[in-house]
Amino acid sequence: MANSPDVPAHKPLSGRKAQAARNDGIILDAARAVFLADATAPVAAVAERAGVGISALYRRYPSKEVLLRTLCFQGLSRYNSEGEAALGTDDDARVLDDFLHRVVDADVHSLTVRLAGTFTPDESFAPQVRRSAELNTEILRRARSAGAVRDGVTITDFSLILEACAAVALPDATRTAELRHRMLALLLDGLRTPGELPGPAPRPEDFAARWQPRK
């Protein structure tokens, strides 16, 4: 039986839990902004931007390492969500375009590139990493089946394209989004243009190396 319009589908959080959830979102939003600007910034800068006390921040994230790891895990989860959404289309010729546009809009790779090497990923990332590989593989398979991608393209090329778009960063957020999609349109044409690609495809280890802690 359907829920009455006057009855919530889910039990609302208590006042204390709701406030904690709001604080958590505020902290993560602040951390993303702070570390995008400067990955070496102290945790105190995050607390200041979020408008919370440093002790409140440390109760939720006991170290900068934990906070950085959480941000990257959140980005990886968002990447996978966009991949799953793109695969929901019935048009194989559009699935890759839709996926890349979604990830560019989510701006996942700006943070990924900035934070690589600033913390050590742990085993909690493994299921999400495996899921990313599955989604990327299926997206490319469907694009190939529709003749929407040239020979020689691999799933690791996705990272190059997304990082190239993320490299466009201006003070004006609206202009940044416009130029990122302009860049993506040019790169998508390259994915479809027939012809032999120069050099070997990127390898997973080419990207993995940068996750080694920086000295």
Side-chain angles (χ1 to χ4, degrees):
M1 186 167 120
N3 288 323
S4 163
D6 298 324
V7 178
H10 301 284
K11 183 178 179 180
L13 294 174
S14 67
R16 182 174 295 179
K17 289 183 178 178
Q19 184 60 49
R22 284 193 293 271
N23 286 345
D24 195 46
I26 291 168
I27 289 169
L28 289 176
D29 286 346
R32 189 178 195 281
V34 166
F35 294 136
L36 270 176
D38 179 7
T40 67
V43 171
V46 176
E48 181 179 0
R49 185 179 181 95
V52 302
I54 191 72
S55 59
L57 190 152
Y58 275 125
R59 279 196 297 273
R60 182 65 183 88
Y61 301 100
S63 69
K64 182 177 178 179
E65 175 98 353
V66 172
L67 184 53
L68 292 173
R69 190 180 296 127
T70 301
L71 284 173
C72 268
F73 187 88
Q74 188 182 59
L76 183 56
S77 298
R78 177 69 183 275
Y79 180 92
N80 289 347
S81 295
E82 299 303 343
E84 288 163 355
L87 284 170
T89 181
D90 294 328
D91 187 353
D92 286 352
R94 292 292 308 165
V95 66
L96 179 56
D97 287 34
D98 185 37
F99 169 62
L100 293 175
H101 278 287
R102 285 175 175 274
V103 178
V104 167
D105 281 337
D107 196 19
V108 169
H109 282 70
S110 292
L111 194 64
T112 300
V113 172
R114 175 68 75 174
L115 298 188
T118 63
F119 72 98
T120 304
D122 62 19
E123 286 303 312
S124 67
F125 281 71
Q128 293 285 3
V129 170
R130 286 194 293 269
R131 182 58 178 153
S132 293
E134 293 167 356
L135 292 167
N136 288 338
T137 298
E138 179 61 10
I139 288 166
L140 183 56
R141 184 197 69 76
R142 286 182 57 179
R144 280 181 175 151
S145 72
V149 66
R150 68 196 291 174
D151 291 340
V153 172
T154 70
I155 60 173
T156 46
D157 286 308
F158 296 173
S159 292
L160 292 181
I161 290 169
L162 291 166
E163 289 183 17
C165 292
V168 179
L170 303 176
D172 184 331
T174 299
R175 188 63 178 140
T176 293
E178 290 173 347
L179 291 180
R180 284 179 176 178
H181 281 287
R182 180 182 176 89
M183 168 74 80
L184 181 56
L186 293 169
L187 294 171
L188 283 169
D189 282 347
L191 282 177
R192 292 185 281 263
T193 302
E196 185 176 350
L197 287 164
R203 303 164 300 177
E205 54 266 34
D206 293 332
F207 299 101
R210 67 184 177 195
W211 287 96
Q212 297 301 313
R214 299 173 189 167
K215 295 182 179 179

